[in-house]
Amino acid sequence: MREVAVLGLGMHPWGKFPEKPLNNICRVAVEAALSDADLQWRDVQAVAAASSRFSGGKGWGLNGNDVVEDMGSTGVPVYNLSAGCAAGGNAFNIGCMLVASGCHDVVMVVGGEKMPKGFIQTSGLEDESDPEYLRQRCIGLPGPGFWALLTRRRMAEYGTTEEDLARIAVKAHEVGTHNENARFRQLFSIEDVLKSNMVSYPLRLYEICPVSDGAAAVILCSAEIARKKTTSPVTVAASAVATARFDDGIPRALACPIGSGSAHHSEAAIAVGRALETAAVGPKDIDLVELQDNTVYYELAFPEEWGLCEPGESESLMRAGETLPTGRLPINPSGGFLCFGEATTAQGLFQICEVGWQLRGAAAQRQVPNAKLGLAQSLGLGGNAAAAVLKR
Amino acid sequence: MSEAERVHAAQGLFAETAQGPRLLGSKCRTCSTPYFPRSESCHNPDCSQSDLEDAAFGPHGKLWSCAIQNYPPPPPVVYDEPFAPYAVGLVDMPEGLRVLGRILTDDPQAVEVGGEVELVIEPLATSGESAQQLVSWQFKPR
């Protein structure tokens, strides 16, 4: 397999843009990535795109086709990848393989999304064959309630406090305030977060990511092309995808077997584990991580589940400021989902952009000093997950 | 007011049996994996032979975790008007099943991780003049 370089990074800022068509949002990201790579649209030999359930794609998830038509139909192959909120990460994986395999020298990966209002209703079906419908009809447990269950369990196991949870949101905004692409850049105090509305005890409004509109694009190329454009390109040390294991103890519908060990999102742990193994690095070698923080809970649980720190250590690291860009284990220097909101299928690529900028040393006031190795992780409905390790 | 008709929130998921309230699921005869709702096949990748039989689960359980639904969720969720926060839980049952459910209590704050609960089949809402009451499985702290 050939080495793959991350040559171009582009993003449309995250926000709510009711007047702006999705094509325009995607075009901003695509043109920024092409310009960053010093390439033209004509140079793109294939497109891997994240399929959306919420916007564009002609109702079939053909979001890559929308982008190609908008940019100019050159006849390029388009791969539309569906993996819930991990779709951007999955598309990145396919894009990497298209270059690594030698099939194509320049590949664009793109994800763009305009989200409906309110918390995500995951299916939209009204049918007893649909577990999500049953969960709402028979129990009444929307997504935030599920995150609250995981959080409450952690509180009981490790003594996590409501103030700890609030402090993670405070930290997210401390770094996100420096990110011009982030939607929520205001600073909060712990008291502000604790005063925000309780959504699902123990989780409050500012501790849960809202939905946003946004788009991100990445240009991948062979090492040969990258060397013509830059002296020290960011490269892909590893890209992996995974699905959940049967016995991880996390019910995806109404119930699951209790399982053997501690309940955790096995899909994320497997994807990250594979990525680290392929990159031939240990979890402690990672200089920064962009992880999927739909809620503050994941910033505590994921680093432990992946071996970035010890079980039960996350709270003390966070309290000591070690998860800030200047700390020992920088987490989400972009500001994360808490500051961006979730433009579901674009999230996996916004992470790649942030990790790429960090490795280039181009992250200004949120820069992780001397970052050489960065991890990006996304998680999606259906037990999907993706992870990538970038290096410089 | 005449007694409201009890309508199950979904068909075939739970029942009042001679032994009491039960969740209706399946169990694999080969590997003992429990399923709720019923499953046509065993999903355990280490199971050598998918062989499902009907199984009824309950009434005992222990809260693996619990939380509170603090905002009125969108349809099709059913709750008493005016909305009052209610408790939800993830319950470990001795049959090896971890199951989601609403917690039947007037004091959601008092529900604790590790607490013992018992399966009940009760209305999701009792207010209003409706001739029908939607009932579902719930867990009552013991």
Side-chain angles (χ1 to χ4, degrees):
Chain A
M1 299 286 258
R2 299 194 295 177
E3 188 171 45
V4 180
V6 180
L7 191 61
L9 303 167
M11 208 187 270
H12 182 290
W14 262 230
K16 287 309 278 183
F17 312 103
E19 307 302 324
K20 207 169 181 178
L22 178 60
N23 278 351
N24 294 16
I25 293 175
C26 289
R27 179 180 270 262
V28 168
V30 168
E31 286 181 342
L34 285 169
S35 160
D36 187 44
D38 187 29
L39 290 171
Q40 308 296 315
W41 170 242
R42 278 261 171 210
D43 298 322
V44 172
Q45 297 169 3
V47 172
S51 281
S52 166
R53 179 172 97 71
F54 298 104
S55 54
K58 311 176 203 306
W60 289 77
L62 305 176
N63 295 71
N65 298 79
D66 288 349
V67 169
V68 168
E69 285 166 18
D70 185 60
M71 292 302 296
S73 297
T74 55
V76 286
V78 174
Y79 301 86
N80 292 294
L81 280 307
S82 183
C85 302
N90 269 35
F92 181 77
N93 179 258
I94 295 298
C96 289
M97 289 202 280
L98 292 172
V99 175
S101 63
C103 284
H104 300 288
D105 293 323
V106 178
V107 172
M108 187 182 74
V109 189
V110 62
E113 187 85 82
K114 287 187 68 161
M115 293 295 291
K117 281 186 177 169
F119 290 118
I120 298 172
Q121 305 296 310
T122 51
S123 81
L125 296 173
E126 294 254 325
D127 178 336
E128 287 193 9
S129 70
D130 175 44
E132 177 61 22
Y133 171 77
L134 286 177
R135 195 170 83 168
Q136 302 317 328
R137 167 99 171 160
C138 299
I139 306 170
L141 182 65
F146 183 71
W147 299 328
L149 287 169
L150 297 176
T151 309
R152 188 79 183 276
R153 175 73 191 186
R154 184 175 179 90
M155 292 169 83
E157 271 183 16
Y158 292 115
T160 314
T161 65
E162 290 179 49
E163 194 177 303
D164 287 332
L165 301 176
R167 199 184 294 271
I168 296 168
V170 170
K171 175 237 131 198
H173 290 270
E174 258 176 59
V175 287
T177 194
H178 300 301
N179 194 337
E180 67 274 14
N181 287 312
R183 176 179 170 195
F184 301 103
R185 297 177 61 187
Q186 64 272 48
L187 292 171
F188 292 133
S189 66
I190 289 176
E191 291 69 33
D192 292 334
V193 178
L194 290 175
K195 271 191 275 181
S196 69
N197 285 341
M198 192 66 85
V199 172
S200 189
Y201 178 82
L203 295 174
R204 294 171 165 85
L205 190 63
Y206 293 171
E207 296 163 349
I208 291 175
C209 87
V211 296
S212 290
D213 306 337
V218 172
I219 305 291
L220 300 172
C221 69
S222 63
E224 192 185 351
I225 289 177
R227 271 195 298 273
K228 289 178 191 160
K229 300 285 186 182
T230 170
T231 50
S232 59
V234 170
T235 59
V236 181
S239 165
V241 299
T243 50
R245 223 183 42 230
F246 163 77
D247 60 349
D248 69 4
I250 300 266
R252 267 77 182 178
L254 297 178
C256 68
I258 288 174
S260 42
S262 64
H264 68 291
H265 284 281
S266 57
E267 63 273 49
I270 296 170
V272 169
R274 277 185 194 149
L276 293 175
E277 193 184 333
T278 306
V281 297
K284 302 271 188 331
D285 298 326
I286 296 294
D287 296 317
L288 73 123
V289 55
E290 281 286 324
L291 58 78
Q292 182 157 336
D293 59 326
N294 286 104
T295 171
V296 292
Y297 162 80
Y298 289 115
E299 189 160 328
L300 297 172
F302 278 158
E304 296 176 3
E305 290 169 12
W306 307 338
L308 302 181
C309 65
E310 300 308 312
E313 195 187 6
S314 283
E315 285 82 357
S316 56
L317 283 174
M318 182 265 306
R319 286 183 211 127
E322 298 289 4
T323 57
L324 286 163
T326 48
R328 184 148 60 85
L329 176 58
I331 299 175
N332 292 0
S334 67
F337 288 27
L338 291 180
C339 293
F340 274 72
E342 188 174 17
T344 54
T345 54
Q347 297 300 112
L349 295 168
F350 121 79
Q351 295 177 329
I352 298 292
C353 287
E354 176 66 15
V355 173
W357 285 322
Q358 288 284 348
L359 298 182
R360 288 177 184 176
Q365 284 156 289
R366 60 180 200 282
Q367 181 66 47
V368 173
N370 203 28
K372 301 267 187 251
L373 208 55
L375 171 68
Q377 169 273 337
S378 51
L379 187 74
L381 184 68
N384 284 294
V389 177
L390 305 187
K391 70 174 177 189
R392 194 180 195 191
Chain B
M1 197 179 89
S2 63
E3 192 147 316
E5 184 195 355
R6 286 163 65 100
V7 176
H8 282 205
Q11 297 308 308
L13 293 189
F14 51 87
E16 286 285 0
T17 70
Q19 289 76 41
R22 294 290 184 272
L23 293 175
L24 304 179
S26 318
K27 189 175 177 182
C28 179
R29 289 191 187 93
T30 310
C31 70
S32 300
T33 299
Y35 293 92
F36 174 72
R38 284 193 182 97
S39 179
E40 294 291 320
S41 57
C42 185
H43 307 152
N44 177 2
D46 297 324
C47 179
S48 58
Q49 169 89 51
S50 172
D51 185 8
L52 278 287
E53 62 181 348
D54 284 350
F57 306 117
H60 301 297
K62 193 174 178 176
L63 282 163
W64 184 81
S65 190
C66 51
I68 300 174
Q69 177 64 32
N70 290 92
Y71 70 94
V77 182
V78 173
Y79 48 80
D80 267 325
E81 301 280 359
F83 175 81
Y86 56 85
V88 293
L90 191 46
V91 174
D92 281 356
M93 304 185 82
E95 298 88 346
L97 192 71
R98 177 168 289 161
V99 59
L100 292 163
R102 204 182 283 194
I103 308 296
L104 188 66
T105 174
D106 293 332
D107 188 2
Q109 297 282 352
V111 180
E112 301 253 14
V113 175
E116 303 278 343
V117 292
E118 191 167 318
L119 181 72
V120 292
I121 294 168
E122 291 292 340
L124 292 164
T126 52
S127 63
E129 299 281 311
S130 169
Q132 292 192 335
Q133 273 186 340
L134 206 61
V135 300
S136 186
W137 79 90
Q138 302 188 46
F139 293 97
K140 193 174 178 177
R142 290 173 69 196

